[in-house]
Amino acid sequence: MDRFRMIFQYFQSNSESVMNGICGLLALASVKMYTCFDFSCPCLPRYNIAYGLGIMFVPPVALFLCGLILNRQSLVMLEEWRRPQGRRKKDLAVIRYMCSSIMQRAMVAPVVWIIVTLLDGKCLICAFSSSVDPEKFVGFANASPMQVQQLLAKVPCKDDELMRNNTSRKAVSRYLRCWSQALGWSILLILIIAAFLARWLRPCFNQATLLQARHWSNYIDIEQKIFEETCCEHSRLFAHKCILHFFESMRQEIKLHSFGLPREGEGAEGEEDLLRGITDQDQVNKLLKMWYYEKPPLDVNQVTQR
Amino acid sequence: MDKFRMIFQFLQSNQESFMNGICGIMALASAQMYSAFDFNCPCLPHYNLAYGLGILLVPPFILFLLGFVLNNNISMLAEEWRRPQGQRGKDPAVLRYMFCSMAQRAMIAPAVWVSVTLLDGKCITCAFCTSVPVETLGNASHPSLSQGEMKRVLARIPCKEIYNGQEFIANEVAVRYLRCISQALGWCFVLLMTTLAFLVRSLRPCFTQAAFLKSRYWSHYIDIERKLFDEMCAEHARSFAKVCIQQFFEGMSTDLATARCHPPRKAPADAGEAAEKLLGITDRGTMNAALKSWHRCKPPLHLHPPVLPSSNGWAGEKQPPVHPPAPRRETAAYFSRV
C-alpha cells in the first residue's frame, strides 16, 4: 500500500498532476463502461445505422463534457475570461493556453472510447452491414433486393434463426470487422504521430511565450486556491470571536441581573474561566435560547478593539 | 486498510470533499443495488407497465430523498431558514445557494439509477412490450387475433419460457427492438444530464460570480460557526460537570465527617496527589453512601463559588454559598434547594 500512497501523493502534488490523474481515470472509466455495456444491435434495416453510429458518437460527447466538468481549471479559466479588468490586465495568451490544455485533457476519454469501439468492431458491423455490396458474398447474391436488405440487416445477430447456419454471415462480419479495425489502428497511429510532433516541435516555436503562459496559468490557479483557504481560515476566526463575544455578553447580562458574588475563591480557577460565568441550569438554558432566537450580529469590532 | 484510510482522510479534509465522497458512494451503491435487484416482469397486460415504470421511477425518488437525509447540512439549512431574525439579518441568496448545492449532489444517485436501468433495457422491455409494432416487425402471414388476445400474447415477450406468439412476432426480434429503444433513451438521458451539469457549472462564472463568492463564504461561515458553538458548549458542559461533581464530593465528605463529629479529614500536606484525588472519601461505607446519594438525589445544576472552611457545617445535603467577609455586605443569601 506504500506504493499506492506514493502514487496518490505524487498526483496531489500539484494541480496539473491532479488533472492528469482525473484524465487517466476517466479514460479507464470509459473502457470499463464499454466492456460493461451490453451491445445489442436491433438488426432492423434503418435502425442499425442509427444505433451503431449513436453508440459510437453519443457517449464520447458525454465523456467530453464530463472531462470539462471534472476539471477544476475550466472554472478558473472561465472566471479569468469573464472577470472585469479592474487593475489587473488580462493576458489572452494565458487564457488560450489554459483553454487548449483543458481541451486536450478532455479529449482523451472520448478518443479512447472511439478507438476501443472501432477495434472491437461491433458498432461498425451493426451500422454498415446493410450497406455492403451483396454481389461480393455468395449467400446474398441470389436474393431479391428487399430480401437482401432484410438479411444483411440481420448479419450482426448471430443467434437469429435465419442467420444461425449462414456461412456468408461470417464473411460479411469478418469483412466489416477488418475495415473497422483498420480504421481504428489508423486513427490511433495518426493521433500518436500528431502528439509526438506537437511535443517535439513545440520548443521550436515561441518557447518563451509558452513558459510565460504556463507560469501565469499556474499562478492564477494557485492564487484561487489560496484565496479560498484564506477565506475559510478567516471565517473560522470570525466565528470564534463572534461566539466568544456572545458568551461575554451573556456573562455581563447575568452580572447585571443578579447579586454578582465576587469570585475570589481559590482552586479550580482554570475551570471557572472555562465556565465563562455561566454556572446554572437556567443560565445555560437562557444562553441556548438566546443563541437560537437572537443570533449575535456579524460584527466583531468591539471585540477586536478591546 | 491503509488505502481505505488514506482515501477516507482525503475525503474528510474539507466539508465539500466529504459531501462529494458521500455522493460518489451513493452513486456506486445505486448501481450495485440495481445489479443485485432481481427483476421479475409480471408478463400480464396492465401490470407490466405499472411494474416497469415503477422500478424506473420510484427508487430514484427514494434515493433523492436519501441524498438529502444523509447530508449533514440539511439541518443547518432548516435552522437558518426558520430562525427568528434577531440582531442578524437573513440573506435569501445564502439559503438558495445551500439548497442548490444540496439538491445537485442529491440528484446524482437517482440519475445513475435511471441511466443504468435504461441502458440495461429490462424495464422498458417489460413496460412497453405490448406496444411493439407487430405489423412492421412481425411475420406477414398469421391468423389475426382480437386486441385483447394480442395484448396478452405480447405481454409475455419478456418471459421467454411462456411466450407462445412465435408465429406473430419472434421473441428475439421484439426484445432487440425494445432494447435498442431503451438504450437510445438511456444514452440520450446521460447526454442530457451531462449537458445540464456542464451548463450549470459554466454559466455561473459568466454571470453571477461576485454574488456566488459572497453566498459561498457566508454558507461556510454558518457551518463553521455552528460547529464551533457546539464545541464550546461541549467544553463548557465538561467544566460544569467537573465542578459540579467536585462540589458534590466535597459536600458529601464534609457532611459525613460532621455527622460523625470529627472535622473533615484533610489530607496531610505531603501525602501527594493521589490522596487529594480521593476527595476525602477513604472507606467503603463512605463510598457507598456517596454512590447512593448520587443516585437518589443528584445535586442541583447550580455551581457556587468554592467553600471557605467554616466550623459551622450544615447537616443537610447542600452547602450554602458563603459570602466573603466584605464589610459592605450585610445580608447573606442562603439558597435552599430541597
Side-chain angles (χ1 to χ4, degrees), chain A residues 91 93-94 97 201-217:
Chain A
D91 189 356
V94 172
Y97 173 84
L201 293 179
R202 199 165 34 176
C204 305
F205 303 100
N206 287 339
Q207 181 67 351
T209 328
L210 177 73
L211 285 175
Q212 279 176 7
R214 194 164 67 180
H215 175 266
W216 289 115
S217 82

Side-chain angles (χ1 to χ4, degrees), chain A residues 81-242:
Chain A
W81 182 38
R82 300 296 302 174
R83 70 172 171 92
Q85 180 129 329
R87 293 198 287 185
R88 186 189 285 191
K89 277 199 319 235
K90 284 207 266 201
D91 189 356
L92 282 177
V94 172
I95 296 177
R96 269 198 308 264
Y97 173 84
M98 284 168 87
C99 193
S100 83
S101 96
I102 291 167
M103 290 286 169
Q104 283 169 29
R105 286 196 176 93
M107 290 285 279
V108 172
V111 164
V112 166
W113 175 280
I114 290 179
I115 289 180
V116 168
T117 305
L118 287 172
L119 292 179
D120 189 35
K122 288 193 286 234
C123 267
L124 237 61
I125 296 177
C126 183
F128 294 112
S129 66
S130 317
S131 327
V132 298
D133 185 7
E135 304 298 321
K136 291 197 189 134
F137 303 98
V138 172
F140 301 115
N142 303 332
S144 69
M146 270 307 295
Q147 255 188 329
V148 153
Q149 280 302 310
Q150 294 274 348
L151 281 175
L152 282 176
K154 289 200 196 294
V155 158
C157 300
K158 292 197 258 269
D159 300 322
D160 192 78
E161 48 198 352
L162 291 172
M163 288 283 135
R164 215 165 279 162
N165 300 321
N166 194 331
T167 44
S168 307
R169 177 196 70 79
K170 288 192 195 140
V172 174
S173 182
R174 270 201 306 265
Y175 174 76
L176 285 168
R177 191 178 240 156
C178 152
W179 269 107
S180 166
Q181 289 181 342
L183 199 58
W185 284 116
S186 315
I187 289 181
L188 190 58
L189 186 66
I190 290 174
L191 283 175
I192 290 187
I193 290 178
F196 171 75
L197 283 176
R199 266 193 100 125
W200 200 47
L201 293 179
R202 199 165 34 176
C204 305
F205 303 100
N206 287 339
Q207 181 67 351
T209 328
L210 177 73
L211 285 175
Q212 279 176 7
R214 194 164 67 180
H215 175 266
W216 289 115
S217 82
N218 265 346
Y219 171 80
I220 293 172
D221 193 22
I222 289 177
E223 192 187 45
Q224 237 231 12
K225 265 198 218 139
I226 293 185
F227 180 74
E228 282 171 19
E229 278 171 26
T230 313
C231 278
C232 271
E233 196 49 49
H234 182 269
S235 69
R236 201 180 158 81
L237 289 172
F238 197 115
H240 195 230
K241 285 248 146 62
C242 199

Side-chain angles (χ1 to χ4, degrees), chain B residues 15-24 64 67-77 92-110 200-201 204 212 215-220 223:
Chain B
Q15 179 74 346
E16 282 221 3
S17 55
F18 181 68
M19 284 293 117
N20 289 342
I22 297 251
C23 179
F64 183 67
F68 271 108
V69 163
L70 290 179
N71 196 336
N72 293 338
N73 294 344
I74 185 86
S75 58
M76 184 173 85
L77 172 66
V94 173
L95 291 171
R96 267 199 309 265
Y97 169 81
M98 282 161 63
F99 181 72
C100 283
S101 85
M102 277 195 280
Q104 282 170 27
R105 287 195 176 92
M107 291 272 280
I108 291 186
V200 163
R201 238 175 112 104
R204 199 238 309 136
F212 166 76
S215 312
R216 192 172 64 173
Y217 178 86
W218 288 116
S219 92
H220 280 168
D223 186 29

Side-chain angles (χ1 to χ4, degrees), chain B residues 136-186:
Chain B
T136 40
L137 297 177
N139 300 329
S141 57
H142 63 269
S144 61
L145 286 179
S146 66
Q147 281 277 30
E149 248 328 291
M150 184 53 95
K151 278 213 183 312
R152 260 196 292 274
V153 167
L154 289 177
R156 295 199 192 112
I157 286 175
C159 306
K160 290 198 192 29
E161 316 84 51
I162 59 172
Y163 184 61
N164 55 358
Q166 203 67 8
E167 62 268 17
F168 305 115
I169 177 169
N171 189 298
E172 300 86 34
V173 171
V175 166
R176 275 198 307 256
Y177 174 79
L178 288 164
R179 203 170 210 189
C180 152
I181 303 269
S182 171
Q183 288 180 343
L185 277 174

Side-chain angles (χ1 to χ4, degrees), chain A residues 19 22-23 25-27 29-30 33 58-75 102-103 105-110, chain B residues 108 112 115 187 189-199 201:
Chain A
M19 288 183 307
I22 292 189
C23 170
L25 277 175
L26 211 54
S30 119
M33 251 165 60
V58 168
V61 174
L63 285 167
F64 179 72
L65 291 174
C66 262
L68 289 179
I69 291 170
L70 292 176
N71 196 342
R72 226 187 69 96
Q73 232 194 18
S74 58
L75 272 181
I102 291 167
M103 290 286 169
R105 286 196 176 93
M107 290 285 279
V108 172
Chain B
I108 291 186
V112 167
S115 319
W187 283 117
F189 178 77
V190 168
L191 187 64
L192 183 71
M193 286 285 119
T194 31
T195 310
L196 272 175
F198 174 72
L199 283 176
R201 238 175 112 104

